[in-house]
Amino acid sequence: MTIYSIHPSRGKVQILATYRTVDGMTSSTVTSVVETGLAAPIVNALNRISAFATVPVSVWDRRSGEYRHYPTNHLEVLGDRDKRLQLLEGSHSLWYELVMIFLDGALVDLEKAVSQVPPPVRTAVDAELAAEAQALRAELAEYNEGASPSESVNRRLWEREDPLVGIEDDLGLFDEDTRKSLDKVEESLKGDKLQRVIDDLRILLQVYLECNEESARLEVEDLSIFVDPDFGEKYYLTVEAPLPSEASRHDWKIEIGRWEPYGPEDEDGNGSYSGNPLLACVQSAPPVVRELVDLLDLVGHQPGQLAIWSKTPVGGRLAGTNFIVTDSEQSEVLLPGNVGDDIDAVEAHGSEYSVTAVRDDLPANGDEGRSMSWPKFDALFASCSCGREGCDECAGFQLTPRTAARLWVALNFLADQAYDDVEEHGDEPVRDPRDWSLFDEYPRITFRQDAVWRRQAARCFDDLSRDLEAARWPSPRCAGEEMALHLALDFAPDAVDEGGSLAEWIDRLPAHPGDLDWDACVDGLFQDTDILTLFNDSHDGLEDPGDPTNRRLGIGDYRPASWFTTFDNQEPRDSRRPFRR
């Protein structure tokens, strides 16, 4: 509601408060100090306090689909130091509690700033905070309860959805998109789960605010910190907090990866890169803030530190830290026995087994020994077959364990074929189908796409496969994924050789009356099947949203350049996710 600034005057530096009144914009003097160096941190903290206190009461809480107010309890804290601990004790919502963390940090910084000035300055600053809170409470009372405010000339006005605040919002904290994203994360979180995520968010934010690594970036919506000291050229590090809404995010994880080049360079000699995870440190207990801060600071202080850490074996500590490596691409583990003659290594990891395939009949056309996973589909897609009248699960589409397993095999196999095509043919157009493993089965309008496009198409199979591994239905989020899923469903009935190891693995999963109903998968997993019209040569041009028939039927944009653009009603995938190869 108020913007604070500095104004030199007669040998001193005034701290001014600027706000709207009934007569327009007004500036009043809060206090004066002897030099700018003392005034600047006070002004900076006051502006942040004004923003973090005002914005939450100036926007609507839409989580329930209704227009609700965010809490106003934090206004009491501005004039009462003894109540400031309550800022870090609430659990209203992810976005609101995130703002409260920043409000608490701004109040702490103000305390540090006023400790450097004479007591009268501190008293004046405290009085300003109290006046700001009182004015805002009066305005809210008029807006929410119809109470008549003071008609003082210096009455500070407030406008919902348009508060007067001055702050640089590098994190997009006040953006509506950020609120919506956090609300989306929160949808499946209730009670203790919500409280745990808020507590973890506080840890992440404290680490981010205290660390000195300039490349560290807080990814608020993903509850993670991303560190890229070489700006997309070498190694990166990610710190992820648990996220109960994601099946694979139950623990804290520190991951180190390397940027790998793919695709041709542009005319300026710049190439494209994808992230390749190298190792991870996973722990269920929340990490100590100081240890995480020291970890990130080491990245900045020691050139090449990530490269050194990337060679750490499983069981070893990242040098200079207490974090132990629990997973590494270079590690080998022993077979616990009785898993099958096709496997030479397996280790339990939560809901899946990490497996190394060494036989040709496994779903891998790549090099022998490629690392892959066999998820526990009986746990990930437990299905109901009670048949009782009124059972919601039995009445609707169910992705059964055996169906999910066979579809997963098909997706992985076709992904390998797609990557094989990219490596063998690059940018070559599709001419003779006998020369291609997969892309000759795509619609003719894609036959002249380049290697970059085809790699993205190959990753679509992996994205859908990872959905299955995370207990999510593989519902396509873009046209490329639609095509991948259609091809996988077509191939799935023949994806497993009867009597082979994969067939035995799938047969050990619980049977269900709805097993291998591929037509039901089409009905249950797709929004529509418009993309299949691209196989009809008589419909040339239908892929263009400007085509009259396309407009009449509301088909949308199926031109190849748009195949990897997320549908408007779907959440985009992580843009940093790696390519398999």
Side-chain angles (χ1 to χ4, degrees), residues 158-199:
W158 163 86
E159 294 181 34
R160 174 169 285 278
E161 302 290 343
D162 188 26
L164 178 65
V165 296
I167 183 175
E168 293 183 5
D169 187 17
D170 294 337
L171 293 176
L173 189 63
F174 296 155
D175 290 347
E176 184 178 4
D177 288 344
T178 299
R179 290 202 304 277
K180 287 182 177 179
S181 296
L182 288 174
D183 290 348
K184 185 72 173 178
V185 171
E186 189 180 329
E187 283 181 355
S188 62
L189 304 177
K190 304 295 180 184
D192 292 343
K193 285 186 178 181
L194 176 59
Q195 184 63 65
R196 286 196 295 271
V197 172
I198 290 173
D199 291 342

Side-chain angles (χ1 to χ4, degrees), residues 351-363:
S351 64
E352 67 178 34
Y353 293 113
S354 292
V355 176
T356 301
V358 295
R359 294 246 321 241
D360 292 337
D361 57 350
L362 290 173

